Every structure is written in C-alpha cells, then in structure tokens.
Amino acid sequence: MAGHFEATPGGGAAVALDEVEISILRSLAVQLLELIGPGDQPAEGEDPLAALFAEGPSKPPADPALARLFPDAYGGPEGAGGAAKPEGEQELRERSAEFRRFTEMDLRSGKRDDALAVVRTLDALSPAPDGGAVLNLTGDECLNWLRSLNDLRLTIGTRLEVSDEDQGEEGSLYRLPDTDPRKPMVMAYLWLGALQESLVETLMP
C-alpha cells in the first residue's frame, strides 16, 4: 500500500502516507483553495436564491494557472484547426463568454469542495507513532481526491510550463539536476501523477 492507492471494500481506496507526504498534500490543497478563491457569498439581506443564479465572469482569468483550470469552453482559432475566419473567431469568443458567465461559479465551487475534502480527510487522520498514517477514502471521497489531484497537477504543470514532451521517461522533467530550483516542484508534480494514476486504477472495474 505504501506509495500507491489500493482498493478497499465498498468502492473506496487506501494509501499509506508518511508525515512529510501528508504535510505536502495538505499544503498544496490549501494553496489550491487560495488560488481558486473563497467564492461569492450572499451579502447581508441578499436573497440566497438570487445569489445562486448570479452571473459569473465572462472573460478568462488573467492568471495562467486559473485559465488552465477554467479554460474557454469553445476554444479559439487553435481549437478550430487554426483555420477559423475572423467572424468565426468572434463567434467562438462570444459563445465561450456566455458559457463561462453561467458555469464558472459552479465550477469554482466544485473545485473548492474537492480541495476541502482533501484537507478534511487529511486532518481526520490518526497518526501512527512514526508520524505517518493510512488514509482511507470512501467512494465519494475518492472522486474528490481524483479531481483535486488533477487540478493540482494542472496548476503545477502550468507554473512549470510543462509540455507533453517533458513528461515521458526520457523527458526533461526526469533529467533536472538537483541544483535546479524547479526540482522540488517537479518532484511533487511527478509524485501527484503517480498517486493519481494509482487512484484511477483502484476505481476501474
């Protein structure tokens, strides 16, 4: 079980984590929550139902990591094979803006819930004498973790400007010298990928 998830009865999963791994996971999840933001809360006296149907932003986030987490639904010229006409590009932008306006707030809420589930399940652990613990997740918590691990990897990958070519066994991520300041974050990125992959495997029929 050490280092990777294993299936448990009832559709859950478990993984043994040491004290450092628990600390890293919790810190990354908290940073993800800070990046996503607290969300829009109804003002005092405001109708909660009206707030529920409030419109969100229409433009992509300026932060590249947030833009990766909340991409345009209809892409742009690249999504159209680079052959879109100017009027076609404008239509794509308008459709993406409309879609974002009515969906991004819900998407942000879902990502916050997933990251909060990661933090809460880690906080609920009972440490062993060596400081480590076995994390046991229910089926629903597995999905929270799976989505949040993906969000963390997207965020870190964007910060590191990771490309597909960097990630293979012969890719540059595996050949960084220890003196490279990116090395700790790259190691976290690769480790999160291994955790995500093992969790996916436990959920496969």
Side-chain angles (χ1 to χ4, degrees):
M1 182 185 297
H4 64 276
F5 280 98
E6 293 183 3
T8 58
V15 62
L17 300 170
D18 63 33
E19 189 173 8
V20 173
E21 291 170 334
I22 293 170
S23 176
I24 291 173
L25 282 167
R26 192 185 190 284
S27 175
L28 289 175
V30 168
Q31 291 178 58
L32 180 61
L33 283 168
E34 293 172 349
L35 176 67
I36 294 171
D40 296 323
Q41 302 297 324
E44 185 176 354
E46 182 180 357
D47 181 0
L49 187 60
L52 182 63
F53 291 98
E55 294 183 3
S58 60
K59 296 182 179 180
D63 187 311
L66 280 175
R68 186 71 179 88
L69 292 176
F70 305 101
D72 275 341
Y74 297 98
E78 296 82 1
K85 297 180 180 179
E87 59 269 22
E89 294 176 21
Q90 178 64 26
E91 181 182 356
L92 286 175
R93 284 195 291 268
E94 291 174 355
R95 291 170 64 189
S96 291
E98 182 178 11
F99 186 86
R100 182 182 297 278
R101 189 160 54 247
F102 293 107
T103 61
E104 184 168 312
M105 291 177 68
D106 283 343
L107 290 174
R108 283 180 181 260
S109 178
K111 291 182 184 297
R112 280 193 297 272
D113 289 345
D114 290 333
L116 278 171
V118 170
V119 173
R120 288 167 178 162
T121 51
L122 291 172
D123 286 348
L125 290 175
S126 299
D130 63 358
V134 175
L135 175 70
N136 284 284
L137 302 177
T138 65
D140 287 341
E141 289 169 344
C142 284
L143 296 178
N144 292 133
W145 268 75
L146 192 60
R147 290 188 293 259
S148 204
L149 286 172
N150 187 63
D151 288 342
L152 286 171
R153 293 192 75 244
L154 287 174
T155 300
I156 295 173
T158 301
R159 297 288 190 236
L160 293 171
E161 298 183 344
V162 172
S163 67
D164 291 340
E165 291 74 19
D166 295 326
Q167 301 187 60
E169 291 188 4
E170 301 300 323
S172 61
L173 290 185
Y174 290 86
R175 293 183 279 106
L176 284 179
D178 291 340
T179 55
D180 193 305
R182 298 172 296 166
K183 187 65 176 283
M185 192 57 69
V186 166
M187 296 302 294
Y189 176 81
L190 296 174
W191 174 56
L192 291 172
L195 273 181
Q196 183 183 20
E197 183 178 355
S198 70
L199 184 53
V200 169
E201 291 174 353
T202 68
L203 300 178
M204 294 177 64

